[in-house]
Amino acid sequence: MFIDLTHLIVDDMPVYPGDSKTELIQSKHLQRDGYNNHHLTMNMHVGTHIDGPMHLTDADSYLSDFPLYSFIGNGVVLDVSGQKEIEYKIEYETFIKVQHIVILYTGYSKFFGEHEYFTKHPVLTKPFAELLVRKKVKMIGLDTPSPDRHPFEIHKYLFQNKVLIAENLTNVGLLLQAKSFEVIALPLHIKADSSPARVIARVE
């Protein structure tokens, strides 16, 4: 079974405050032009996307430089709903394996499109981020717009330790009953700091 963890890209979809507007328009019409076509204008951090280290550090590697296995791996989901700060817990040492892709369920995707989604979302604590680094996880996936807020120290810490960040996931609650699953989080093959992505879970 496959679970799609990706928000649909639509015209004027919600963007992080200060980011440019998303425009998705039909630029050609079959009856008038003989074919259909659409034109998309968006920044790399709209909707479901993967942040690469170049986003907030002086790294010189584009997201396209990362090998494909960086975006595919066994997943684990942690139910952290109701928590304003995601704290380290000793049981996570057992749940999270080396090279896992860790998905957090905060339940915050229900606010996607509302102001509080971008201003009141939960954040990761440094001890929790240190656990991710110690476990050498490939990626942390969030149903929120960010693992932290300005000055984005958690972002930078994860990037400096080669942990990618998938933001704005949806449908994460459907993973809570899964015994095991694989995450496939493929960005565009694009020479940029970050990229929109189609993120899915393949449930055993």
Side-chain angles (χ1 to χ4, degrees):
M1 178 176 71
F2 292 93
I3 297 175
D4 198 341
L5 305 178
T6 314
H7 281 286
L8 179 67
I9 296 173
V10 296
D11 184 53
D12 199 25
M13 70 185 300
V15 298
Y16 198 85
D19 281 350
S20 57
K21 179 180 178 180
T22 298
E23 293 184 325
L24 176 59
I25 62 171
Q26 185 167 353
S27 56
K28 298 294 181 180
H29 297 263
L30 182 64
Q31 297 304 319
R32 183 189 68 200
D33 305 298
Y35 64 100
N36 289 314
N37 199 358
H38 288 75
H39 182 83
L40 175 63
T41 302
M42 65 190 300
N43 75 78
M44 294 295 104
H45 300 269
V46 69
T48 304
H49 66 276
I50 298 172
D51 281 357
M54 187 185 283
H55 178 42
L56 284 169
T57 72
D58 60 0
D60 58 4
S61 295
Y62 295 100
L63 201 59
S64 55
D65 294 327
F66 284 75
L68 284 174
Y69 63 74
S70 304
F71 310 105
I72 301 171
N74 292 327
V76 62
V77 61
L78 303 180
D79 186 349
V80 296
S81 54
Q83 300 179 31
K84 292 185 178 180
E85 293 189 335
I86 313 305
E87 302 279 1
Y88 168 86
K89 293 183 179 181
I90 187 65
E91 56 262 38
Y92 294 162
E93 296 281 358
T94 301
F95 295 159
I96 300 174
K97 307 298 183 185
V98 173
Q99 293 286 286
H100 254 154
I101 293 179
V102 178
I103 307 293
L104 298 186
Y105 172 69
T106 72
Y108 233 70
S109 63
K110 66 184 177 183
F111 298 115
F112 187 69
E114 300 179 22
H115 179 69
E116 67 182 280
Y117 178 79
F118 295 106
T119 59
K120 298 182 180 180
H121 61 83
V123 296
L124 308 189
T125 61
K126 185 65 177 295
F128 182 83
E130 289 172 343
L131 168 65
L132 301 178
V133 170
R134 189 167 67 255
K135 291 288 187 173
K136 299 180 180 179
V137 304
K138 293 183 175 183
M139 184 184 301
I140 177 73
L142 311 163
D143 58 356
T144 66
S146 176
D148 55 4
R149 297 188 180 88
H150 187 271
F152 305 112
E153 294 302 326
I154 298 297
H155 258 97
K156 295 170 186 175
Y157 175 72
L158 294 175
F159 290 153
Q160 289 162 356
N161 288 280
K162 301 180 181 180
V163 179
L164 298 171
I165 305 170
E167 298 172 335
N168 297 329
L169 301 181
T170 189
N171 297 325
V172 175
L174 298 177
L175 292 174
L176 294 176
Q177 302 305 316
K179 293 182 179 180
S180 63
F181 61 93
E182 179 185 36
V183 177
I184 303 168
L186 295 180
L188 299 176
H189 193 42
I190 188 170
K191 194 173 183 179
D193 67 287
S194 306
S195 173
R198 187 70 178 267
V199 182
I200 63 173
R202 180 162 57 185
V203 179
E204 298 294 334

